[in-house]
Amino acid sequence: MISLRQLQVFKTIADTSGLTAASKRLNMTTSAVSINLKDIEQQLGTRLVVRERGRKRSSQKVELTAAGFWLYERADRILSISDGTKRYFEQLQNNSREMLNIGASQTVGNYWLPAYINALKQQRSSLKINVHISNTDEILNRIESFQDDIGLVEGPNSRGDILAKPFKEDSMTLIAPPDDEGQMLELQPWLIRETGSATRRLTEKLWAKLGIKPENVTELNTNESIIHSVASGIGVAYVPSITTPLMLEAGLVKSLPTEGAHYRTLYYVTHSDLSSRMAWIEPIIGIAN
């Protein structure tokens, strides 16, 4: 029977495209990695990898066969479930030790979360809180794999094992350099967030609403870097309103009018298997029962 360890060895070989690289990552000898691979192939009765043509044997570079690709996809899911199961029980132990892991998307983490942390500490003064801030998609991944107990994110969730509840509405503002002369938005340079960011998705929705497809686009992975880039005269951007007041007041950027109101919903998320244990947090965040 193929073990989880063997699946991990095989997946690492695939991820690193080589036996030598896999052995370094796994802290194993190359021969041990090779033995594990051969054992899996013998059990399945098929080749999973072949050496790249033109490569010397000493380089140990490999590529997956069709059977190897098939197994890789399943090994990835199996190992993910195994890791998630382990993290789930770690989270149960964390809860008994008064530890809370929070994942937050950037706008929520940088601007809304501090007040909630204060409220949580007032409720439970001994609570140890760990915070991870990233984009919405990564936070949902962390919730799904039990790396975080709860998440506060800027976009809706369609994943079946994650429960999402709205807790606040936020608005968006289109900003430009202070000396902007009103050039057509489609011709303007745009600054946008990275793929996986809810703010990026809202920017793309704004483009669709305006009927534009800007060609001069620069991608940055924080709201702050985008706003300061706008202030430097690089281009325009569509950003959460909570990030702009100081820059607007100082005259470092200016807001541009857009038709209609621009609001988005912020969501509290948790894994369905942890939702009952995390229910005590919901009134603190402002979620009505």
Side-chain angles (χ1 to χ4, degrees):
M1 180 180 294
I2 299 172
S3 67
L4 287 174
R5 179 59 174 171
Q6 287 178 317
L7 286 179
Q8 184 184 37
V9 170
F10 168 72
K11 183 177 181 299
T12 305
I13 292 171
D15 288 339
T16 60
S17 300
L19 304 183
T20 301
S23 69
K24 291 179 180 178
R25 182 176 295 185
L26 294 166
N27 197 26
M28 299 170 62
T29 64
T30 304
S31 60
V33 170
S34 180
I35 290 170
N36 273 270
L37 175 61
K38 288 180 181 178
D39 186 50
I40 298 173
E41 290 180 327
Q42 288 175 357
Q43 290 188 62
L44 297 178
T46 187
R47 293 289 299 276
L48 298 173
V49 303
V50 293
R51 298 185 188 281
E52 292 183 359
R53 294 179 181 177
R55 292 277 184 178
K56 294 182 179 179
R57 184 173 182 83
S58 60
S59 70
Q60 302 293 307
K61 283 286 184 179
V62 299
E63 59 184 14
L64 295 180
T65 64
F69 279 112
W70 187 93
L71 181 62
Y72 179 84
E73 292 179 355
R74 283 148 185 83
D76 188 49
R77 291 203 294 269
I78 291 169
L79 292 170
S80 178
I81 291 171
S82 175
D83 290 343
T85 301
K86 181 180 178 181
R87 291 193 190 107
Y88 171 76
F89 286 99
E90 288 175 349
Q91 296 292 37
L92 295 185
Q93 294 177 358
N94 287 344
N95 291 339
S96 66
R97 294 197 301 267
E98 287 288 284
M99 183 182 296
L100 179 66
N101 296 318
I102 302 175
S105 54
Q106 286 203 20
T107 302
V108 181
N110 290 324
Y111 295 92
W112 298 109
L113 184 58
Y116 295 129
I117 291 177
N118 184 44
L120 288 166
K121 295 291 285 186
Q122 288 182 4
Q123 183 85 6
R124 297 191 181 184
S125 59
S126 62
L127 186 65
K128 180 181 178 182
I129 297 176
N130 303 310
V131 176
H132 181 89
I133 297 176
S134 187
N135 65 44
T136 294
D137 281 3
E138 183 177 340
I139 297 305
L140 293 177
N141 289 339
R142 290 176 63 86
I143 294 294
E144 203 168 35
S145 61
F146 298 103
Q147 290 175 270
D148 293 321
D149 300 298
I150 66 167
L152 300 175
V153 297
E154 304 160 38
N157 158 64
S158 59
R159 308 188 192 195
D161 51 2
I162 294 180
L163 299 180
K165 297 181 180 181
F167 73 94
K168 184 180 286 294
E169 275 202 337
D170 192 15
S171 62
M172 300 290 293
T173 300
L174 180 60
I175 60 172
D179 58 354
D180 178 74
E181 298 178 353
Q183 185 181 10
M184 291 178 60
L185 288 175
E186 187 164 22
L187 302 179
Q188 290 265 36
W190 279 78
L191 299 150
I192 65 171
R193 286 285 304 280
E194 77 286 0
T195 300
S197 162
T199 297
R200 181 192 179 110
R201 287 192 283 269
L202 288 169
T203 300
E204 292 170 343
K205 286 183 178 180
L206 176 66
W207 291 348
K209 183 178 180 179
L210 296 174
I212 64 175
K213 294 183 178 180
E215 294 184 1
N216 188 349
V217 176
T218 300
E219 183 179 300
L220 299 168
N221 69 346
T222 68
N223 292 321
E224 289 70 25
S225 62
I226 287 177
I227 294 169
H228 286 286
S229 295
V230 172
S232 297
I234 296 176
V236 301
Y238 194 50
V239 297
S241 300
I242 194 172
T243 65
T244 62
L246 293 177
M247 299 292 281
L248 287 170
E249 185 178 346
L252 298 174
V253 300
K254 70 178 182 180
S255 62
L256 298 180
T258 51
E259 183 179 348
H262 295 256
Y263 293 98
R264 63 177 180 175
T265 303
L266 306 181
Y267 291 88
Y268 163 92
V269 296
T270 189
H271 197 286
S272 56
D273 290 343
L274 292 176
S275 60
S276 60
R277 293 179 177 272
M278 296 296 110
W280 67 272
I281 296 174
E282 295 185 11
I284 299 173
I285 301 298
I287 299 170
N289 292 327

